[in-house]
Amino acid sequence: MLTPRHQALLMTLAGMTVGVAVFGGVLAINGDLLGSDSQAGNVSSSKPAPSTPSCTDCLQADSLQYTLQTFGTKSDPVSAEVPNGWKSTQAGTRPRFVDPSGVWQLRFDTRGSSKSPDELVDSRARSIDEQDLKVISRANGTLIYTYVDETRGPRMGLSRWITQNGSQKTAVEITVGGRPKDEAALRAILEQATQTLQLPTADNDTRPS
């Protein structure tokens, strides 16, 4: 038979056992909750950022390679670099080069003009008769504009008039055409043609002024 002292001791031990079990259960539950939160946080932070869709059918400036083409006349030859693979559909003093798909083109007018580039920019801007014409820029002898073609849809044109040897008269016009979304490549083609342009020397230039 247990004495009152032994009974009290057993009750104390039983209470301690229950307390330890409850404490352990609380730790286990908290551990599961923490683990779930931690895993959820890891999954959330590992999601990839959404990618920006690229233009898959745009003309890419860095993919272009160029070749030197000569045109004009025998007495007054003019040359410039045009994109590889673009075929000449018109020769002489107003040559035009078109890519195989017919979407992009580059043309020259080597006849010259007594007017200055700025005068020709203003004149061209007034004379373009196209649907939804928007002039984007007309600075430094270069006219940039967009319009809508009934057959081909949105189009962009970049026309530049160039002088020679400090003259105020225009020596040649360069125009690049394509779509508004091809603007970067169109600008690159215009710059390449401008930088590589070779004109007759003033002494040998027999073009009308």
Side-chain angles (χ1 to χ4, degrees):
M1 184 174 181
L2 296 176
T3 64
R5 182 179 178 182
H6 287 161
Q7 291 177 354
L9 180 59
L10 288 175
M11 291 180 65
T12 299
L13 291 175
M16 290 177 63
T17 301
V18 171
V20 170
V22 171
F23 182 72
V26 170
L27 286 178
I29 293 173
N30 287 340
D32 288 341
L33 291 176
L34 289 174
S36 299
D37 289 344
S38 178
Q39 290 175 358
N42 289 339
V43 171
S44 176
S45 63
S46 64
K47 290 182 179 179
S51 59
T52 302
S54 59
C55 181
T56 57
D57 67 336
C58 288
L59 183 62
Q60 302 297 327
D62 56 4
S63 68
L64 293 169
Q65 295 183 341
Y66 300 85
T67 185
L68 188 67
Q69 296 283 355
T70 301
F71 36 88
T73 64
K74 290 183 178 180
S75 58
D76 297 304
V78 177
S79 62
E81 289 189 1
V82 306
N84 284 349
W86 289 27
K87 302 299 182 181
S88 175
T89 61
Q90 185 172 319
T93 58
R94 302 181 67 187
R96 181 174 62 176
F97 300 88
V98 181
D99 82 287
S101 70
V103 176
W104 310 289
Q105 65 175 341
L106 168 64
R107 66 177 178 83
F108 300 83
D109 188 340
T110 68
R111 295 174 298 175
S113 172
S114 60
K115 295 182 179 180
S116 70
D118 288 340
E119 290 175 320
L120 292 175
V121 165
D122 292 338
S123 176
R124 178 64 58 79
R126 291 193 301 268
S127 66
I128 299 176
D129 184 18
E130 297 288 355
Q131 182 180 349
D132 295 335
L133 174 66
K134 294 180 181 179
V135 175
I136 298 174
S137 173
R138 57 172 73 198
N140 302 318
T142 302
L143 177 67
I144 303 176
Y145 55 95
T146 60
Y147 62 95
V148 176
D149 183 88
E150 292 183 358
T151 304
R152 297 179 293 177
R155 300 289 294 173
M156 168 173 274
L158 299 87
S159 297
R160 174 173 292 168
W161 289 266
I162 299 171
T163 61
Q164 184 181 21
N165 300 326
S167 173
Q168 295 299 312
K169 300 177 181 180
T170 297
V172 65
E173 173 196 341
I174 306 174
T175 294
V176 185
R179 303 166 301 186
K181 61 183 178 181
D182 303 315
E183 181 177 356
L186 297 179
R187 288 179 179 271
I189 293 170
L190 180 62
E191 291 302 325
Q192 185 73 14
T194 302
Q195 295 299 323
T196 59
L197 183 67
Q198 299 179 25
L199 297 172
T201 61
D203 294 339
N204 298 327
D205 193 349
T206 61
R207 294 174 300 167
S209 60

